[in-house]
Amino acid sequence: MRRTVIKNILEEHGIKPRKKLGQSFLIPEAVARRIVDEAEINSKTNVVEIGPGLGILTEKIARRAKSVMAVEIDPKLYSILKERIQDNEKITFVNEDFLKINLREISQEWRKKLKVMGNLPYNITKPILMQILQNFKWIDSAVVMVQEEVARRICAPVHNKEFGALSLFVQYYSTPKLLFRIPPEAFYPRPAVWSRVVRLTIRSSPTIQVKDEKLFFKVIHSAFSQRRKMLRNVFKHFFQLDEKAILQLETNSEINLRNRGETLSLEEFGRLADCLFEVGLAYEKKN
Ligand code: SAH
């Protein structure tokens, strides 16, 4: 779609791109084709598309897939889509919030795991990733466009300066891969930052097993909420542990808590959370 074409369609319908909805439309057809190529779609694939916008990806996906459910929150864009893309029985447009749709039901209806795709509204990248990953049982992969900086954090390995809570969260549920970069000029309106397509290959069960998932994520969030502090100080404060409990935690986990969060791998965070779980239980019993 050319920039002028996008502008004209929007103007014709009296639409101003809404920042609040992360509306920024992809212009080059070649980039859209490349995204669809990277998604490894075949005639058996059922795709859920997040935020189709003016539909630059939708028909290209439909050409290869078995079906596409395109979920667009903006009622105006939804009606433009319905009007522009008619008579394609593979495509269903839904005027809903992607964060509120029931992916389990959709997958069960299609009797197959889903593939999720979309150029994400950047302001809600994290909630969208959560919605995708917490439904890991129903999804086999996601190919999404995010801000370059977020893509780097998602894929960062341990010891890297971009490694943090987001990397651990995503890597707990999936194997992420950085694909190609897209410059700001490729969008209307033009965003301030570069974008990057990433593929998350979602695991059928999480990368590691932990005793208490909530606690595991609490440990991660506490570790990165004060990046520069030693873990022992963070945990003392966060989990109300005394020196004795800290020492016990260090012995049991065989992890030096004078380290900082960015030096611990996913497995080590898992081990720490499991030991903390046990230390916690021991303390509860005593008191
Ligand atoms: N895929 C299109 C549009 C990307 S802009 C393109 O590449 O050109 C992001 C799109 O997501 C917009 O159409 C916006 O209206 C939509 N959107 C924003 N929040 C959403 C949500 N919670 N659920 C579904 N769609 C949403």
Side-chain angles (χ1 to χ4, degrees), residues 21-26 51-53 71-73 77 97-98 119 121 124:
L21 293 178
Q23 290 174 349
S24 185
F25 303 93
L26 183 65
V71 185
E72 174 54 61
I73 198 170
L77 288 176
D97 180 346
F98 175 75
N119 297 342
I124 53 164

Side-chain angles (χ1 to χ4, degrees), residues 214-280:
K214 257 198 185 151
L215 179 64
F216 167 66
F217 285 117
K218 253 193 211 162
V219 170
I220 291 174
H221 283 283
S222 68
F224 291 99
S225 64
Q226 294 169 300
R227 277 187 94 96
R228 264 174 236 123
K229 278 200 179 168
M230 285 191 260
L231 288 171
R232 56 170 18 250
N233 295 337
V234 177
F235 293 160
K236 263 188 180 171
H237 170 77
F238 226 87
F239 297 102
Q240 316 266 299
L241 300 177
D242 58 17
E243 186 60 28
K244 207 176 134 210
I246 290 286
L247 290 175
Q248 196 184 338
L249 191 59
E250 267 186 323
T251 316
N252 295 0
S253 66
E254 297 178 2
I255 291 168
N256 183 351
L257 296 181
R258 288 180 196 280
N259 283 325
R260 298 191 201 146
E262 66 230 37
T263 66
L264 258 55
S265 67
L266 183 68
E267 288 73 18
E268 287 171 321
F269 268 109
R271 213 156 78 216
L272 205 53
D274 282 356
C275 292
L276 191 60
F277 181 73
E278 274 155 13
V279 170

Side-chain angles (χ1 to χ4, degrees), residues 15 17 96 106 125 139 172 188 223 231 252 264 271 276 280 285:
I15 298 178
E96 271 188 64
I106 299 167
T125 302
I139 301 173
Y172 177 67
Y188 174 80
L231 288 171
N252 295 0
L264 258 55
R271 213 156 78 216
L276 191 60
K285 264 182 224 149

Side-chain angles (χ1 to χ4, degrees), residues 6 18 20-27 35 49-58 71-74 77 94 96-100 118-124 128 145 187-188:
I6 295 176
R18 289 165 69 184
K20 219 183 108 202
L21 293 178
Q23 290 174 349
S24 185
F25 303 93
L26 183 65
I27 302 163
I35 296 171
E49 190 194 355
I50 306 162
L54 293 170
I56 186 162
L57 295 176
T58 319
V71 185
E72 174 54 61
I73 198 170
D74 186 329
L77 288 176
V94 187
E96 271 188 64
D97 180 346
F98 175 75
L99 300 177
K100 295 195 180 136
N119 297 342
L120 300 190
Y122 294 165
N123 51 331
I124 53 164
I128 288 181
M145 194 196 296
F187 301 87
Y188 174 80

